[in-house]
């Protein structure tokens, strides 16, 4: 059985016992706003846990059950979610790096993206609360994730997507047997429609930030990074940012370790957004949220109204986080750099985080011998079309050795 937990509003600090399913704070969400206020945060009895001789080793061994809203871990999917590899990279283009670089490859999850961490916990929570249908809005990854997880759990998934979502991700959703609902509009339009359907039909909603369990699932990556770095924290973690939920999840995992006395300080998180969709980082120090229409090749982080803006902003300010924006050209170049140097093919959203690290390095902002982690959140095979305009496939040659030799010489 899990420890007791509460939902705490990030706007008004009201606390709610989990006697029923909560999405946003009932008090703060009455007056609708974009980005939404009243996002809930799951909290645990940290002092009680510390008093029980808490150990990180035990946390890992028991599947994080001391820090989970799931009553019985047997309700989690039987697919292998999490425990993704952390690769140490020592050279780029044959030049030895002056800092330590680690790549956390979450494309190894069942549906090839980081989103499985959230979907697994959402699925289990739905099961424990009597829901057999889960709905979500998605540009692709969250949708394919919940579709695949639901397929493994015998649950029904409904995925509302903008019609412009990448074909590979739509294909995944359909292959997993989910009901796909294309919308002639943006991700934000799909999000609003999924909430209306939730209220109308009583489905369980997986929407990022809207459902507080999504952040809980994503925090597990922090425990893994800490463990894989031999119980130490990196100097910086570069995180791709759209809605701000992955960023909040990474913060939340390390914050738990901080409150439980396992670590003494927080690593510096670097929020990386595309210049074409930087509504979160652009508004961090603004008194009034101003939206700019999103247009970027990195579809997974293309968001007009970042749904977890206020929680992410609070984390960044509280723990002296950093942020940077990168262009689509820098994202594509970083994706090619990553693939050719490491053998890891990442989708544009993942490449954005790596582009952020390269930009930091070029600006001289990474210290010698420092430890830096980049979150690679999804496989490049999820959006191959994003790279096609930047690649040239050679014309075919006649199959003889002379032509072959000339081709190799020219290329």
């Amino acid at each position: 059985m899990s420890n007791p937990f509460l939902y705490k509003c990030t706007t008004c600090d009201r606390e709610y016992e989990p006697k029923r399913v909560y999405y946003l704070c009932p008090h703060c969400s009455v007056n609708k706003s974009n980005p939404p206020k009243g996002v809930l945060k799951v909290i645990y009895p940290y002092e009680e846990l510390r008093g029980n001789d808490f150990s990180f080793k035990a946390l890992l061994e028991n599947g994080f059950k001391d820090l989970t809203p799931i009553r019985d871990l047997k309700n989690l999917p039987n697919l292998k979610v999490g425990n993704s590899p952390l690769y140490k990279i020592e050279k780029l283009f044959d030049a030895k790096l002056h800092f330590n670089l680690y790549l956390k490859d979450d494309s190894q999850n069942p549906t090839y993206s980081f989103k499985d961490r959230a979907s697994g916990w959402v699925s289990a929570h739905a099961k424990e609360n009597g829901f057999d249908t889960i709905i979500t809005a998605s540009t692709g990854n969250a949708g394919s994730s919940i579709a695949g997880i639901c397929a493994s759990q015998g649950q029904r998934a409904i995925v509302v997507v903008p019609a412009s979502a990448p074909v590979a991700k739509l294909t995944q959703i359909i292959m997993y047997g989910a009901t796909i609902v294309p919308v002639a509009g943006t991700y934000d339009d799909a999000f609003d429609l999924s909430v209306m359907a939730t209220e109308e039909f009583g489905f369980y909603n997986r929407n990022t930030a809207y459902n507080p369990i999504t952040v809980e699932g994503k925090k597990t990556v922090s425990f893994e990074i800490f463990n894989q770095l031999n119980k130490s924290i990196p100097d910086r973690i570069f995180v791709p940012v759209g809605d701000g939920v992955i960023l909040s999840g990474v913060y939340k995992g390390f914050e738990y370790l901080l409150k439980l006395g396992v670590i003494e300080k927080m690593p510096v998180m670097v929020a990386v957004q595309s210049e074409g969709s930087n509504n979160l980082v652009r508004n961090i120090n603004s008194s009034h949220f101003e939206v700019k229409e999103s247009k970027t090749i990195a579809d997974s982080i293309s968001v007009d109204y970042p749904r977890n803006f206020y929680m992410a902003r609070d984390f960044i300010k509280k723990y002296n986080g950093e942020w940077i924006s990168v262009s689509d050209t820098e994202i594509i170049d970083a994706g090619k750099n990553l693939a050719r140097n490491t053998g890891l093919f990442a989708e544009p959203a993942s490449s954005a985080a790596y582009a952020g690290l390269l930009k930091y390095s070029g600006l001289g902002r990474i210290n010698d011998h420092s430890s830096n982690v980049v979150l690679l959140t999804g496989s490049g095979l999820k959006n191959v079309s994003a790279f096609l305009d930047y690649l040239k496939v050679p014309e075919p040659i006649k199959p003889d050795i002379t032509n072959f030799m000339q081709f190799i010489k020219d290329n």
Side-chain angles (χ1 to χ4, degrees):
M1 299 295 288
S2 64
N3 277 281
F5 71 93
L6 297 172
Y7 294 110
K8 184 174 182 178
C9 178
T10 55
T11 302
C12 70
D13 288 336
R14 283 180 171 83
E15 295 182 352
Y16 303 93
E17 294 187 3
K19 294 180 179 179
R20 66 176 180 85
V21 167
Y22 282 96
Y23 295 114
L24 301 179
C25 169
H27 177 78
C28 295
S29 61
V30 173
N31 298 317
K32 297 185 182 299
S33 64
N34 278 322
K37 294 186 177 180
V39 171
L40 296 177
K41 185 178 182 181
V42 176
I43 60 173
Y44 299 92
Y46 309 109
E47 293 301 322
E48 179 182 325
L49 288 170
R50 290 187 71 164
N52 291 338
D53 296 323
F54 174 84
S55 77
F56 181 74
K57 181 180 179 181
L59 174 69
L60 286 177
E61 290 176 347
N62 66 24
F64 314 126
K65 79 176 183 65
D66 291 331
L67 296 173
T68 172
I70 307 304
R71 293 193 295 272
D72 189 342
L73 297 183
K74 292 180 179 178
N75 288 314
L76 289 167
N78 63 356
L79 300 176
K80 182 182 177 296
V81 177
N83 293 313
S84 59
L86 183 72
Y87 298 112
K88 184 175 183 180
I89 306 300
E90 297 184 348
K91 291 182 179 180
L92 293 178
F93 292 112
D94 294 325
K96 186 172 177 59
L97 296 173
H98 66 87
F99 56 87
N100 295 307
L101 172 59
Y102 300 91
L103 304 177
K104 182 67 168 164
D105 182 19
D106 257 52
S107 70
Q108 299 298 305
N109 281 311
T111 74
Y112 319 114
S113 88
F114 191 98
K115 301 296 177 72
D116 289 344
R117 293 179 183 271
S119 294
W121 287 39
V122 165
S123 171
H125 199 250
K127 184 182 292 187
E128 293 182 346
N129 285 277
F131 294 91
D132 59 9
T133 299
I134 302 175
I135 189 170
T136 196
S138 173
T139 58
N141 276 342
S144 56
S145 174
I146 198 63
I149 295 297
C150 281
S152 76
Q153 292 269 71
Q155 296 166 313
R156 182 190 180 195
I158 300 174
V159 184
V160 187
V161 299
S164 60
V167 173
K169 297 177 182 179
L170 301 181
T171 302
Q172 269 191 287
I173 294 169
I174 295 169
M175 287 298 292
Y176 289 133
T179 300
I180 189 169
V181 184
V183 170
T186 65
Y187 165 73
D188 298 279
D189 295 323
F191 192 107
D192 293 339
L193 179 58
S194 72
V195 172
M196 286 189 279
T198 298
E199 295 170 347
E200 181 72 21
F201 302 109
F203 302 140
Y204 186 63
N205 195 299
R206 181 222 180 274
N207 281 1
T208 187
Y210 184 72
N211 187 326
I213 306 302
T214 56
V215 176
E216 289 303 288
K218 294 180 181 184
K219 74 174 188 286
T220 56
V221 73
S222 303
F223 303 151
E224 292 176 21
I225 291 171
F226 178 70
N227 186 53
Q228 289 169 319
L229 290 178
N230 297 316
K231 312 300 185 299
S232 66
I233 62 170
D235 294 292
R236 282 192 175 94
I237 303 177
F238 291 80
V239 184
V241 174
D243 269 313
V245 175
I246 292 179
L247 181 71
S248 296
V250 179
Y251 263 122
K252 207 159 185 283
F254 281 105
E255 185 179 63
Y256 287 161
L257 299 182
L258 193 66
K259 291 185 175 183
L260 291 167
V262 178
I263 61 176
E264 296 181 352
K265 67 175 184 177
M266 184 75 73
V268 175
M269 308 296 175
V270 183
V272 184
Q273 286 207 288
S274 165
E275 289 177 356
S277 181
N278 62 354
N279 287 305
L280 192 150
V281 300
R282 197 167 43 80
N283 283 284
I284 287 175
N285 290 320
S286 301
S287 57
H288 176 70
F289 188 91
E290 294 183 1
V291 66
K292 181 179 72 174
E293 184 178 354
S294 297
K295 186 177 181 181
T296 175
I297 199 168
D299 64 283
S300 294
I301 53 174
S302 180
V303 177
D304 285 351
Y305 294 100
R307 304 286 169 162
N308 212 41
F309 171 72
Y310 293 106
M311 185 190 294
R313 183 189 66 178
D314 291 348
F315 271 130
I316 289 171
K317 289 192 169 185
K318 181 177 181 180
Y319 293 113
N320 298 314
E322 300 171 353
W323 57 91
I324 193 169
S325 296
V326 292
S327 68
D328 277 4
T329 299
E330 289 172 318
I331 290 172
I332 293 298
D333 288 345
K336 291 189 289 187
N337 177 307
L338 182 69
R340 294 172 185 181
N341 279 277
T342 70
L344 297 174
F345 179 29
E347 69 169 324
S350 293
S351 300
Y354 184 63
L357 172 125
L358 295 178
K359 197 166 186 175
Y360 255 57
S361 180
L363 294 171
R365 298 180 63 180
I366 298 184
N367 295 332
D368 290 348
H369 311 299
S370 62
S371 179
N372 302 271
V373 173
V374 176
L375 292 191
L376 301 180
T377 52
S379 167
L381 293 176
K382 283 177 163 284
N383 192 3
V384 174
S385 61
F387 296 94
L388 293 181
D389 290 341
Y390 301 87
L391 301 176
K392 181 182 178 181
V393 179
E395 293 295 323
I397 63 170
K398 292 182 179 180
D400 61 64
I401 197 65
T402 301
N403 284 314
F404 175 83
M405 292 173 63
Q406 185 62 46
F407 182 90
I408 295 299
K409 181 180 178 181
D410 294 341
N411 291 275

